[in-house]
Amino acid sequence: MKINKLFTGFLLQAAFFSGSLHAQTDLHANAYSIVQDAVTDIVCSSPTDAIQKEKRVIEILNEKGKEDASFICMCDRFSSLKKFSGEVRDASGNIIRKIKKSELRITEYSAELVSDDYYYFFEYTPSRYPVTITYEWEIKNSDGLIGYPSFVPQKNYNQSVAQASYRIVTPAGNPCRYRTINMPIEVSQQQAADGNWLTEVKVQALPALKKEPYSPSLSELLPRIYFTPRDFSFEGTQGSMESWQTYGKWQYQLLTGRDQLPPALKEELLKRTANCNTAYEKIAAVYQYLASTTRYVSIQLGIGGLQPIAAADVHRTGFGDCKGLSNYTRAMLAELGIPSVYTVISTTNKRLLADFASANQNNHVILQVPLPNDTLWLECTNPNLPLGYVHHSIAGHDALLIGPNGGVLCQLPTYPDSLNTQISNASVSLQADGSAKVEVKQASRLFQYEDQAGITGLEPARQKDWLRSDINLVQAQIDAIRFNEIKQKEPQLDISYTIESGQYGNKTGKRLFAPANIFHRGFYSPDEQGERTQCIRLNYGYLDVDSISIHLPEEYEIESLPKTTNLNSKFGKFHSSITPGEGGNILIVHRLLVYQGNYPKEDYTDFLDFRKKIAAQYGAKIILKKSGE
């Protein structure tokens, strides 16, 4: 589903992080570039046509801000770039470069994408710093306005704003709706003498945002204002953005007549489900048919950014996008007497603004299938996912159910952190020279299954690279890889393999140092980065359990073992035990449970301490010495 067209400008996802604007702001603090002035001026001459004028003056302070020096502008069949000019000035204000519209480049279409979008862009890399670049351009929009450009003065981390303004004139009887995010300022809206509505806002002194580990995404942190028409006209259709219910009603109209199936497919569906005894079995048969006969291709032509192609066309061509494939599946289920609901959702924005409907808050379509004792959520874009599994990009997200009475907000289910498991069992045969052979069995479920499932489709050499990337060994030869994928509603991937390493242990004199755990090379423990400015965001909750048995060489005995550790914090729990076992073995158990959630920035020191203690346990060494010495 398309979100970045239809005159919506920079469409960043909504969030509830509250920022603050300071009267006295040091614009150079943490800044690589400064937007000295940004002006957006829009005049809507009718519900379908508008002229958008833009000016952006940005000072590039140093090489780290060079990516902010370039220009990009998206157009499509509804919009066209009419005017453009640019100039570059040095620190003394002297013009060192003028840029003409003829110098702009236009993107080419991708072979895998059916779209009428195209981008104008100009890449500029300053030869010295600082420089100030001014871009001015004008866009003409026609044939429909389902949304207005968002006001987003800042575009990147480490970019401050001296001043910026936004002004939009809309026709009489149709004042635009707006919602401010992270921008506690007043928006002025008044009706002019001619009946048209003027909505405008100005901001000054927005401080640069510093990129920090474990923080919300940039799109959630940026100060911005969404604008949308109350009533809209788009390619011959009319709708209302007054509420999600009214917007959903318009969306439902786009489905009318697009669920017809050819007779041959109806017969095929009856044949494939002839031996099915339950609705679930019939759904599974349709889902399997979808996977074997279609592929995903993004369709973004005209109103196709929001309307699915007809089910009959998906069947004829064998491809569709999320809208087309979901509608196609919906039509096939309906043929079998199984009702389902076309569902609009975002893969990036977990929460929707409940009291502010807009087309740009969602970017994807799935299918809801209510059953008497359960509700299935079908990801028709990727029917290779297990039937009924709610993948990480939509689990727990708000969604809009599209029905004949309009849109209804709902929330998808998600999985408890403790069920997103990866259980690893390893048997290590350690030799006196520090070499070792390791037999590994690993079981990953739910979100951790999703993280690992991609390995099954790789070439054998790349499978070895995948596994090796998580192993903390200088030498690690991977062999004997075996998979068992259990594609059920709560899926699981079992992987077994062997590791051979000539440097598992480090021999120094009479001692041999062996790692306690080699399976968490990617465990990240950030360093201190000064005063924390953002909240702590843990997007992913999970449980890792590692059971490792190390068989010692006969001529060595234990000199020192890491101590047993138990950590319990608001961020999760960690248990570590390393104990001598029977027959010259050492048994290591590491159990880490991480809680998904948001935490205050004031807790960052405690968070770092929690991570560092775990990293120390994962990186701990077992010290062995030669027996009798």
Side-chain angles (χ1 to χ4, degrees):
M1 180 178 177
K2 187 76 168 286
I3 64 165
N4 65 340
K5 80 186 286 186
L6 313 178
F7 200 45
T8 49
F10 294 91
L11 303 180
L12 300 166
Q13 304 305 319
F16 300 96
F17 173 85
S18 60
S20 61
L21 306 180
H22 304 282
Q24 300 297 325
T25 301
D26 179 5
L27 296 179
H28 286 80
N30 300 314
Y32 304 154
S33 66
I34 302 175
V35 178
Q36 298 292 356
D37 193 20
V39 179
T40 299
D41 195 342
I42 304 164
V43 176
C44 302
S45 56
S46 73
T48 59
D49 301 281
I51 295 293
Q52 174 187 350
K53 296 181 179 180
E54 299 273 1
K55 179 180 180 181
R56 190 168 177 84
V57 182
I58 183 167
E59 182 182 6
I60 311 299
L61 300 176
N62 51 50
E63 187 176 6
K64 292 181 179 179
K66 64 182 180 181
E67 68 179 60
D68 296 331
S70 299
F71 170 82
I72 186 168
C73 172
M74 189 202 78
C75 295
D76 53 29
R77 62 160 292 184
F78 300 96
S79 60
S80 57
L81 182 66
K82 294 300 182 182
K83 297 179 181 179
F84 170 84
S85 65
E87 67 175 27
V88 184
R89 294 178 180 266
D90 62 17
S92 301
N94 301 311
I95 296 177
I96 58 177
R97 175 71 191 271
K98 282 187 173 291
I99 309 164
K100 299 178 182 179
K101 184 181 178 183
S102 59
E103 297 181 75
L104 300 180
R105 298 173 62 189
I106 303 178
T107 56
E108 298 180 354
Y109 296 125
S110 165
E112 296 298 319
L113 185 69
V114 182
S115 173
D116 52 24
D117 287 356
Y118 57 98
Y119 289 82
Y120 286 97
F121 65 96
F122 179 79
E123 294 180 330
Y124 180 75
T125 302
S127 58
R128 58 184 184 270
Y129 300 92
V131 296
T132 299
I133 305 174
T134 299
Y135 292 119
E136 294 188 68
W137 67 101
E138 181 179 307
I139 298 173
K140 181 179 180 181
N141 293 80
S142 56
D143 294 335
L145 299 173
I146 198 170
Y148 302 135
S150 301
F151 180 43
V152 191
Q154 290 168 295
K155 308 298 185 213
N156 289 315
Y157 288 110
N158 304 105
Q159 182 180 89
S160 61
V161 177
Q163 64 179 18
S165 63
Y166 183 104
R167 177 180 182 272
I168 182 169
V169 176
T170 55
N174 195 24
C176 73
R177 304 177 70 239
Y178 60 87
R179 167 60 71 85
T180 61
I181 306 290
N182 302 336
M183 194 180 287
I185 58 174
E186 293 296 325
V187 177
S188 171
Q189 187 170 69
Q190 56 188 337
Q191 195 167 18
D194 60 3
N196 291 333
W197 285 91
L198 172 62
T199 305
E200 56 185 342
V201 63
K202 296 180 181 179
V203 297
Q204 291 182 320
L206 297 179
L209 293 169
K210 184 174 66 171
K211 190 172 185 178
E212 297 175 326
Y214 296 102
S215 67
S217 64
L218 176 64
S219 63
E220 294 183 47
L221 298 175
L222 288 173
R224 61 205 179 277
I225 305 177
Y226 294 142
F227 294 90
T228 187
R230 186 188 65 190
D231 304 312
F232 62 88
S233 178
F234 187 66
E235 201 171 87
T237 68
Q238 283 72 43
S240 169
M241 211 71 74
E242 188 70 32
S243 66
W244 287 112
Q245 186 270 333
T246 60
Y247 175 67
K249 197 168 187 177
W250 176 79
Q251 279 263 314
Y252 187 78
Q253 293 174 2
L254 301 184
L255 305 178
T256 303
R258 308 187 82 79
D259 58 353
Q260 302 303 304
L261 300 176
L265 176 56
K266 293 181 180 181
E267 293 178 8
E268 178 68 20
L269 292 173
L270 291 176
K271 182 171 67 174
R272 285 177 174 263
T273 58
N275 296 322
C276 295
N277 297 316
T278 66
Y280 184 89
E281 291 177 353
K282 292 181 180 180
I283 295 166
V286 169
Y287 198 62
Q288 192 280 328
Y289 177 76
L290 181 73
S292 62
T293 60
T294 64
R295 64 186 179 92
Y296 172 81
V297 174
S298 181
I299 310 295
Q300 309 295 349
L301 298 174
I303 201 171
L306 291 167
Q307 184 180 51
I309 61 174
D313 290 335
V314 175
H315 176 70
R316 176 177 55 83
T317 62
F319 64 78
D321 62 1
C322 62
K323 304 179 300 297
L325 294 172
S326 296
N327 180 63
Y328 180 49
T329 306
R330 173 175 166 265
M332 289 191 289
L333 293 177
E335 180 64 25
L336 299 172
I338 301 172
S340 61
V341 183
Y342 188 85
T343 304
V344 180
I345 196 170
S346 171
T347 57
T348 55
N349 183 19
K350 196 166 188 176
R351 299 279 80 86
L352 300 178
L353 298 171
D355 59 350
F356 185 81
S358 63
N360 64 348
Q361 290 185 57
N362 294 297
N363 67 347
H364 190 49
V365 172
I366 59 174
L367 201 63
Q368 182 207 56
V369 188
L371 294 176
N373 299 316
D374 195 7
T375 296
L376 295 179
W377 302 92
L378 303 190
E379 179 52 87
C380 304
T381 300
N382 183 11
N384 288 317
L385 285 172
L387 176 65
Y389 170 64
V390 183
H391 61 87
H392 186 253
S393 294
I394 59 174
H397 286 214
D398 289 345
L400 187 67
L401 302 173
I402 306 299
N405 295 322
V408 176
L409 289 175
C410 70
Q411 188 176 120
L412 267 67
T414 190
Y415 304 103
D417 299 331
S418 60
L419 295 185
N420 299 314
T421 58
Q422 186 170 89
I423 311 299
S424 300
N425 291 279
S427 177
V428 182
S429 296
L430 181 62
Q431 304 302 311
D433 61 357
S435 64
K437 183 172 182 179
V438 187
E439 295 183 355
V440 183
K441 293 183 179 180
Q442 191 178 79
S444 303
R445 298 185 70 242
L446 297 174
F447 291 165
Q448 299 227 55
Y449 155 85
E450 188 179 339
D451 284 346
Q452 293 285 83
I455 191 175
T456 60
L458 298 178
E459 298 279 341
R462 294 189 64 191
Q463 290 177 344
K464 294 179 180 181
D465 291 339
W466 179 304
L467 294 171
R468 193 181 293 112
S469 66
D470 285 333
I471 297 170
N472 194 20
L473 285 178
V474 176
Q475 295 180 358
Q477 181 179 332
I478 309 293
D479 285 302
I481 302 174
R482 298 288 185 272
F483 301 111
N484 179 34
E485 188 172 7
I486 304 170
K487 283 194 170 185
Q488 56 191 14
K489 191 174 181 182
E490 295 186 356
Q492 178 171 315
L493 177 63
D494 297 330
I495 306 176
S496 65
Y497 58 97
T498 63
I499 306 169
E500 288 192 29
S501 174
Q503 296 184 25
Y504 189 94
N506 181 23
K507 189 175 181 181
T508 304
K510 298 176 182 179
R511 287 176 173 80
L512 184 60
F513 298 82
N517 192 328
I518 63 171
F519 298 108
H520 293 275
R521 181 179 181 180
F523 188 81
Y524 178 54
S525 179
D527 296 325
E528 291 279 4
Q529 295 189 339
E531 184 180 357
R532 181 78 178 187
T533 62
Q534 313 297 347
C535 70
I536 305 163
R537 167 72 59 80
L538 300 181
N539 291 313
Y540 194 103
Y542 62 92
L543 173 64
D544 281 348
V545 180
D546 306 303
S547 298
I548 304 165
S549 175
I550 302 179
H551 182 74
L552 306 182
E554 291 183 0
E555 56 266 50
Y556 279 87
E557 61 185 21
I558 299 169
E559 179 178 88
S560 177
L561 294 177
K563 294 181 179 179
T564 295
T565 300
N566 286 290
L567 303 175
N568 193 347
S569 81
K570 65 173 63 178
F571 313 107
K573 297 179 180 180
F574 179 78
H575 169 77
S576 169
S577 67
I578 305 179
T579 56
E582 297 180 358
N585 287 350
I586 296 175
L587 180 61
I588 302 159
V589 177
H590 286 156
R591 188 180 190 277
L592 171 62
L593 174 62
V594 173
Y595 302 139
Q596 179 271 340
N598 294 319
Y599 303 91
K601 64 181 181 179
E602 290 78 14
D603 291 341
Y604 193 59
T605 299
D606 293 339
F607 175 70
L608 287 181
D609 183 62
F610 180 67
R611 301 285 298 188
K612 288 177 180 177
K613 287 179 178 177
I614 297 169
Q617 289 296 311
Y618 281 151
K621 298 292 185 182
I622 295 167
I623 304 175
L624 308 175
K625 66 178 182 179
K626 284 194 173 181
S627 302
E629 297 187 11

